[in-house]
Amino acid sequence: MQRIVDNALAVTKESVKTVTYESLNNIARCINGVSALLLTLLPGKANILEGLHGWELRPTFRGPRLPRWMHNGVSSFNEFIHELSVDSDTSSLEYSSGEDSDGPLPPSPSSQSSRLSWASTSASSENHWTEWITFILWWLMFPVRILLWIPQYIISLFYKRSSRIPASPRRHQHSSRPRISKTNSSKDHDVPNRTTDRRRGVIEDLHLAIEIGIEAIFDFFHKATHLLLSPSEAFAILLSWFSSSSRSPKENHGEVAYDETVQTATLGDTDPSPTERPVESPTRLYNSMNTDTRTCQDVITELGYPYEAIRVITSDGYVLVLERIPRRDARKAVFLQHGVLDSSMGWVSNGVVGSPAFAAYDQGYDVFLGNFRGLVSRDHVNKNISSKEFWRYSINEHGTEDIPAMIEKIHEIKTTELKLCQPNIDEEINQEEPYKLCAICHSLGGAAILMYVITRKIKEKPHRLSRLILLSPAGFHEDSNLGFTIVEYIFLFISPVLARIVPAFYIPTRFFRMLLNKLARDFHNYPALGGLVQTLMSYVVGGDSSNWVGVLGLPHYNMNDMPAVSFRVAQHLAQIKHTGKFRMYDYGSKSANMEVYGSPEPLDLGESYKFIDVPVDLVAGRNDKVIRSSMVKKHYNVMRDAEVDVSFNEFEYAHLDFTFSHREELLRYVMSRLLLVKQTPVQQRQTSQKGMKLKKKKREGTVV
């Protein structure tokens, strides 16, 4: 009787699991299919999705459990929809090319049918309709398939039990061994992927939660029926409970329980003993939720580079983190500053080959990674500072507080370290900087570094920079799309009221930040949905084809912390766009401006470009719709009129491609501009000494 009940519960449990798994997968695939259908209706998606580098419906190796009718993680319906979109996007190109065409377009890397043949349009359309009919038939046959599967499973279960040798009473303990080996193998398989993504998506979490819930419920019913069918065992358990409760604590403490067994099958060979296991920290708790909480330090050290974190305090009390890939004896250093809603993670997010920070370090530079104020963690010397007070800053504070504090800290560190490495450096320090510091800045970082150089020269203070390389710098924004213009007018109109309600723009709670982190993984597992989100986000920013969905998956958008934008920074950008001038923050009244600037109007930085006394390299992106190439060109024209040593270059990039994407030609260009910086006198002497040594060796070789 017990065996019959166990078999019935096992069959029921597997049936419930199958139904719930298939239902959840069908819902997820339905959402993905609808997303693919909507994606075919959106105009201009071909150029937008170009920035994703393989967004198509490709299989993923770390996705959730999929139904059998999926081929490599892609439904036939999605293949049909995707190929329809590809055909519609490329039909005009094929017809326009005519006889000059070299042949059919290359196949999509994900579509199974396109891998087999792109020979004829008729064969492709016939394959589409076949897959569509197969999809409909599968849905009609699903209930029949479930009904046929249940008796088949019961028969196979009874056959296996009848042919099995009678197991020992501890068979349940040893039954978990195959699962352990499977888990270990999958873990080993995921090791190369851990450096790129450690997260589970929302759908994967639902799978896991459903499985745990079903196992817990059926385990309860299994134990309950076992006790009902074995009254003597139930009576013995109740008796043991009463007897143990009637004993004194001393007797229970002195008695040794010999009947306890250790499930050695569930302990790995490399697992520490229970007494050696560390107490779980909050970081481990967050990692157990499978959210990617890696920091810039984790990425740098995982790749084998040295790392150092420097605490910098600004004059107004904000605590910044200046991160470093140290090369202490180097006489050339580079300072990299991120843009809005970004952090130092952007400079190392492409790994060893494609990241500017690692490229500069490999070229012999001491690399410093700056971080603006504005993290959700709100680090300040005043621990009781209110949210309203903390977020009361504009781009002015980025350029006149954050960057000066970080660069002065770099100067202090470099002069101290070079004194230790070379004691005879005091005379050179009095004459000239013993090192050369270049700045590479992106977007808002470019506007802030220009503000820093100009204000330091106006105050007659050294800025300690030798060259500026600005990647799509902010500052001029009048040439933008209609969406930005509408947002500008609405924002400026409601800003007096909104400033009292919304001090900054960010995701406020850990739960929603965790949800965003997990949804980024789902966008990867379900590429049609990710493509739809990518297209919609691109529409918001004027059609820019940057990989916006991929950026959401960066670890600095995690449940613990994330970069934010203060209200005044957004208002400052709206003021710049509205006036058409690159100027400092307007406090709203002549008296307030008079108190800060000494004039009724804010300082016009564009008219002050004459104070820039270092070479400037401007880089624009032709596909950049956030800061258009014409606006970077305006920087160039104004600087050239002010007789600044400036250069201009242009690449086929979108806005985020300068930091997030792997662009070898950009790295080559940036490194070539860094090499134009003149060496310090000590470096020149060292170079000449090396040249003399090489000449002596050559002479000795010729004499011999």
Side-chain angles (χ1 to χ4, degrees), residues 273-294:
S273 62
T275 57
E276 296 175 352
R277 290 177 185 172
V279 180
E280 289 206 3
S281 61
T283 304
R284 181 169 296 187
L285 176 62
Y286 300 144
N287 289 337
S288 66
M289 297 180 182
N290 279 90
T291 58
D292 195 350
T293 57
R294 288 177 299 166

Side-chain angles (χ1 to χ4, degrees), residues 33 304 315 321 327 372 385 552 585 610 666 684-685:
S315 60
V321 178
R327 195 181 286 274
F372 281 141
I385 189 172
L552 292 179
Y585 181 75
K610 59 186 177 181
L666 176 65
Q684 293 176 356
R685 288 197 296 268

Side-chain angles (χ1 to χ4, degrees), residues 81-259:
I81 293 296
H82 169 63
E83 291 174 359
L84 263 184
S85 66
V86 172
D87 291 342
S88 63
D89 289 339
T90 58
S91 58
S92 60
L93 179 62
E94 289 178 352
Y95 285 125
S96 62
S97 59
E99 295 179 355
D100 297 334
S101 176
D102 295 333
L105 293 176
S108 166
S110 60
S111 175
Q112 185 70 19
S113 60
S114 62
R115 287 196 199 101
L116 298 175
S117 175
W118 269 70
S120 64
T121 307
S122 59
S124 177
S125 61
E126 182 180 356
N127 190 24
H128 298 162
W129 286 111
T130 303
E131 293 171 352
W132 174 255
I133 295 171
T134 304
F135 174 77
I136 296 175
L137 289 177
W138 187 95
W139 273 99
L140 295 176
M141 295 295 295
F142 179 73
V144 179
R145 185 178 164 199
I146 292 295
L147 293 176
L148 292 176
W149 176 82
I150 293 174
Q152 181 182 0
Y153 181 81
I154 295 175
I155 294 172
S156 62
L157 190 63
F158 274 103
Y159 176 78
K160 289 179 181 178
R161 285 187 175 272
S162 61
S163 61
R164 189 183 300 170
I165 300 174
S168 62
R170 298 180 183 176
R171 64 181 180 273
H172 297 289
Q173 297 177 8
H174 297 279
S175 62
S176 61
R177 286 187 179 179
R179 287 201 300 268
I180 293 173
S181 61
K182 184 177 179 180
T183 304
N184 292 339
S185 63
S186 63
K187 182 178 179 181
D188 295 338
H189 178 71
D190 288 340
V191 167
N193 296 327
R194 290 187 64 188
T195 58
T196 56
D197 206 332
R198 298 176 176 179
R199 293 159 294 161
R200 281 196 308 260
V202 175
I203 302 299
E204 293 169 283
D205 279 343
L206 289 176
H207 274 284
L208 182 61
I210 289 172
E211 183 172 359
I212 292 174
I214 292 174
E215 289 288 346
I217 292 171
F218 277 91
D219 184 61
F220 170 78
F221 281 108
H222 178 269
K223 292 180 179 179
T225 54
H226 182 72
L227 293 176
L228 289 175
L229 296 175
S230 303
S232 58
E233 187 174 347
F235 180 75
I237 293 174
L238 290 175
L239 186 62
S240 64
W241 285 353
F242 283 111
S243 61
S244 62
S245 62
S246 62
R247 292 181 183 178
S248 62
K250 293 182 179 180
E251 291 176 352
N252 289 333
H253 183 268
E255 186 177 0
V256 179
Y258 290 100
D259 57 344

